[in-house]
Amino acid sequence: MKLFKIFSFLLVGVIISTGIAALIFYRNIHVSAVQNGNPSSNVSSKNKSLTQKNIVVIGSDENNLSDTLFIVNYNPENKSINILSIPRDTYYHRPGYNAPGDKKINAAFSEEGIEGTKKAIENLLGIKIDNYIILNYEGFKKVIDIVGGVEIYVPFDMKYDDNSADPPLHIDLKKGWQVLNGEKAMEFVRYRYGYPDADLGRIRAQHQFLEAIFKKLTQPSILPKLPSLAITITKYVKTDLTASEITEYSYQFIKNKPFTVNTFTLPGEPGYKDGVSYFFADSTKIPEMVAKFLGKKNLLSNTSTGEENKNIRVEILNGTNIEGLASKYAEILKRQGFDVIRIGNVIGTTFFSSHVYARTNEEKAKKVANALSILSVEKDISHDSPVDVTVILGKDKSK
């Protein structure tokens, strides 16, 4: 097991709230305001009009593999932070990538980089990704030790040894409340073998760890530690957030101390396809979950309102032998305002992947594809077509 596990949940709070803020203040702006306890005088007036951002956070190991993936949304208006976790084994079939491992969403990063990952998330969730943070976890233990450890509840005895891991993994934690130093915190976030629901249990532990570190970061005792914390973090972080954006959001976070940290997990369940273990997202539940995560804001520009969707005529066909599949997804489209005028079956052919066909207008087809989290949109224009969009559901929608 790689060193690199779930530290991103810790680091995103540090990066956006304190660490990089301190670095910007000390290195770029060259002010002593933090030391004097009054950073507001050096922050641009733009912070009054800060808007929500969706920031994808990726944990990447030395082999350029994405091991941890989640989206952070900070709402300056209601002072809340929303975090949406995406299991690394989530089934996501990119056209042209047909190997079993390529069909997991974490493969998008190693094969297509940050842009491929952003595209995958936008297609999967129907949201716009504004920025990214890529994390290297070599500084994990140092950061935990700098902040003085993290108080956490270990839900059960955690015992595991793996000498073949890189580096070797030795975990020995007892059940109960305790303050974990860097070494023990590493053991806690790397542990994944005793949760009955596998990655979902590990994600709950990540959320627990995140809440604990946010609690730690809002304590006054953290302020004198900012310079050394910032220097350590910036050795292991890549981001396209500008210095100005980081400073403004960081100041607002420190000033307001967010009232709530809300955690979400991609809805779905683990399963197998062609003998390979995946996490299958539940497309029927994604729209509602995303609406809660975003507060019904920041949807992609091509995600329409119900009023606009009523003018898009859709036929939805079941390309599998799974009874009721077309009716199930037709209801999803109807709830979003689309005019579903036909439900039927494909005769004689079984589809493994779902497809959306543009019959009159490609933009209309893209709106339907986003609503159902379907990647493949193809042109099949027919001027006398009675529908604008044809959807053929494959076995990938059976989970």
Side-chain angles (χ1 to χ4, degrees):
M1 179 129 180
K2 301 179 181 68
L3 168 66
F4 214 83
K5 291 295 168 196
I6 314 307
F7 183 38
S8 48
F9 278 88
L10 163 66
L11 276 185
V12 71
V14 179
I15 293 165
I16 295 180
S17 63
T18 59
I20 294 184
L23 185 71
I24 297 300
F25 281 128
Y26 278 81
R27 290 187 175 179
N28 294 12
I29 302 178
H30 300 292
V31 298
S32 58
V34 173
Q35 294 172 330
N36 296 331
N38 181 26
S40 60
S41 61
N42 294 282
V43 177
S44 158
S45 60
K46 292 179 182 178
N47 60 29
K48 296 180 180 179
S49 59
L50 290 178
T51 59
Q52 294 189 60
K53 277 183 177 291
N54 295 320
I55 304 171
V56 59
V57 181
I58 299 171
S60 174
D61 65 16
E62 66 278 3
N63 297 313
N64 202 36
L65 297 175
S66 170
D67 195 61
T68 300
L69 180 63
F70 63 92
I71 301 93
V72 176
N73 179 278
Y74 175 44
N75 188 333
E77 294 182 4
N78 61 21
K79 295 186 284 188
S80 67
I81 290 178
N82 298 324
I83 296 169
L84 170 58
S85 305
I86 300 178
R88 62 180 184 171
D89 292 339
T90 297
Y91 183 83
Y92 182 84
H93 187 188
R94 293 166 293 141
Y97 293 88
N98 298 315
D102 292 343
K103 297 178 184 178
K104 297 184 178 184
I105 198 167
N106 67 339
F109 181 70
S110 60
E111 294 165 348
E112 299 182 274
I114 185 60
E115 292 304 320
T117 301
K118 289 170 62 177
K119 180 181 178 181
I121 295 170
E122 290 180 342
N123 286 334
L124 180 66
L125 302 179
I127 66 173
K128 183 178 185 300
I129 298 298
D130 300 296
N131 298 100
Y132 68 85
I133 296 173
I134 302 173
L135 308 173
N136 182 303
Y137 297 168
E138 292 297 324
F140 177 85
K141 289 185 284 189
K142 289 183 179 179
V143 169
I144 297 299
D145 288 334
I146 288 172
V147 301
V150 177
E151 186 176 22
I152 204 77
Y153 181 79
V154 180
F156 49 82
D157 289 350
M158 295 180 174
K159 180 70 174 178
Y160 184 80
D161 293 284
D162 184 359
N163 290 318
S164 64
D166 182 19
L169 178 60
H170 303 287
I171 296 173
D172 187 7
L173 293 172
K174 300 300 181 183
K175 178 180 178 180
W177 283 103
Q178 50 198 291
V179 176
L180 302 181
N181 62 15
E183 185 69 38
K184 291 298 181 181
M186 176 67 78
E187 294 180 16
F188 180 81
V189 299
R190 290 184 70 186
Y191 188 82
R192 59 178 299 185
Y193 305 93
Y195 299 107
D197 46 1
D199 262 2
L200 294 181
R202 185 175 64 159
I203 284 175
R204 285 195 299 272
Q206 295 171 13
H207 291 170
Q208 177 190 1
F209 194 79
L210 175 65
E211 292 169 2
I213 196 62
F214 271 118
K215 180 180 178 181
K216 185 81 173 188
L217 291 171
T218 55
Q219 296 175 358
S221 60
I222 205 71
L223 291 176
K225 303 173 183 178
L226 291 181
S228 58
L229 188 61
I231 292 170
T232 300
I233 290 172
T234 52
K235 293 179 181 178
Y236 308 102
V237 174
K238 295 180 181 179
T239 181
D240 63 347
L241 287 163
T242 67
S244 175
E245 288 173 320
I246 293 169
T247 303
E248 290 172 3
Y249 279 90
S250 300
Y251 169 65
Q252 287 297 314
F253 181 93
I254 295 170
K255 174 185 174 184
N256 293 324
K257 294 184 180 180
F259 292 148
T260 57
V261 177
N262 304 310
T263 56
F264 302 84
T265 303
L266 184 71
E269 60 183 20
Y272 287 85
K273 182 178 177 66
D274 299 327
V276 179
S277 174
Y278 297 98
F279 179 87
F280 293 95
D282 188 338
S283 299
T284 65
K285 297 179 180 178
I286 286 178
E288 181 180 359
M289 182 273 301
V290 167
K292 292 179 180 179
F293 171 67
L294 298 177
K296 298 183 179 180
K297 296 180 180 180
N298 292 338
L299 296 180
L300 281 172
S301 58
N302 59 0
T303 301
S304 344
T305 64
E307 186 67 23
E308 295 170 330
N309 292 342
K310 73 178 183 180
N311 296 318
I312 301 177
R313 300 163 299 166
V314 183
E315 69 173 344
I316 186 162
L317 307 177
N318 187 349
T320 76
N321 58 359
I322 302 168
E323 186 176 349
L325 197 63
S327 297
K328 173 183 176 181
Y329 285 93
E331 287 303 314
I332 295 175
L333 293 178
K334 289 178 181 178
R335 287 199 297 268
Q336 298 184 50
F338 292 97
D339 183 13
V340 180
I341 65 173
R342 179 171 179 254
I343 299 173
N345 298 297
V346 177
I347 306 299
T349 303
T350 298
F351 285 77
F352 292 92
S353 299
S354 299
H355 298 265
V356 173
Y357 297 92
R359 307 303 306 279
T360 63
N361 181 286
E362 192 172 5
E363 289 306 311
K364 291 182 178 181
K366 288 180 179 179
K367 292 174 183 178
V368 173
N370 279 337
L372 297 180
S373 299
I374 295 176
L375 300 179
S376 178
V377 178
E378 303 174 34
K379 289 184 180 180
D380 186 16
I381 303 298
S382 175
H383 296 295
D384 58 353
S385 174
V387 299
D388 298 302
V389 182
T390 296
V391 177
I392 298 181
L393 298 170
K395 287 189 174 182
D396 59 326
K397 290 297 181 185
S398 64
K399 294 292 182 177

